[in-house]
Amino acid sequence: MISETDVMQIIVYAGNAKSLAMNAIKEAKKGEIINAKKMLEESKANLKIAHQQHTTILQNFANNPEESATMFLTHAQDHMMAAITATDFTKEFIDLHEEMQELRNLIKKSA
């Protein structure tokens, strides 16, 4: 039986992952690239926990076909997918801000 606590774990860790990813983008925008990368890694760690919990629930469904899905579980999966997307985009934004910072430094040196 899938409990609300099991489902809530997905929401909590996915929410943490998304928040960390968004804060990492803010850090990168300020030029704090090292901090941003650390936050991204922490985001990925939280996302991994959410994904592991999701996998456990899916295995439960596979082993218990009579188990019914709930709107709460659908909501949790939505949170996880949003966190995955945010984390993927965060990597790109950090790379972009890092490159822009390097270009600014080159311009300053040549001026």
Side-chain angles (χ1 to χ4, degrees):
M1 171 121 194
I2 298 166
S3 72
E4 286 186 5
T5 303
D6 294 333
V7 175
M8 194 65 197
Q9 292 299 306
I10 297 171
I11 293 171
V12 168
Y13 285 103
N16 289 346
K18 185 179 175 198
S19 292
L20 284 160
M22 298 308 292
N23 286 329
I25 292 170
K26 290 176 187 173
E27 287 296 298
K29 189 175 182 180
K30 292 188 301 187
E32 299 293 334
I33 302 301
I34 293 170
N35 241 7
K37 287 180 179 181
K38 286 179 185 174
M39 292 176 102
L40 178 58
E41 289 309 310
E42 193 175 341
S43 172
K44 288 179 182 179
N46 275 267
L47 191 54
K48 183 178 180 180
I49 295 168
H51 191 265
Q52 288 169 336
Q53 185 65 26
H54 185 251
T55 300
T56 299
I57 289 171
L58 290 179
Q59 287 170 340
N60 186 300
F61 277 116
N63 295 329
N64 302 298
E66 70 283 350
E67 185 83 53
S68 62
T70 64
M71 281 301 286
F72 193 48
L73 178 58
T74 302
H75 180 67
Q77 289 175 275
D78 185 47
H79 269 277
M80 193 174 74
M81 294 307 299
I84 290 168
T85 301
T87 302
D88 289 346
F89 280 129
T90 296
K91 165 88 171 79
E92 297 303 318
F93 280 119
I94 291 171
D95 289 348
L96 179 63
H97 282 290
E98 185 174 31
E99 194 172 314
M100 287 172 42
Q101 189 174 14
E102 289 169 2
L103 289 171
R104 282 188 202 112
N105 290 339
L106 282 173
I107 291 168
K108 283 180 186 177
K109 285 181 183 177
S110 67

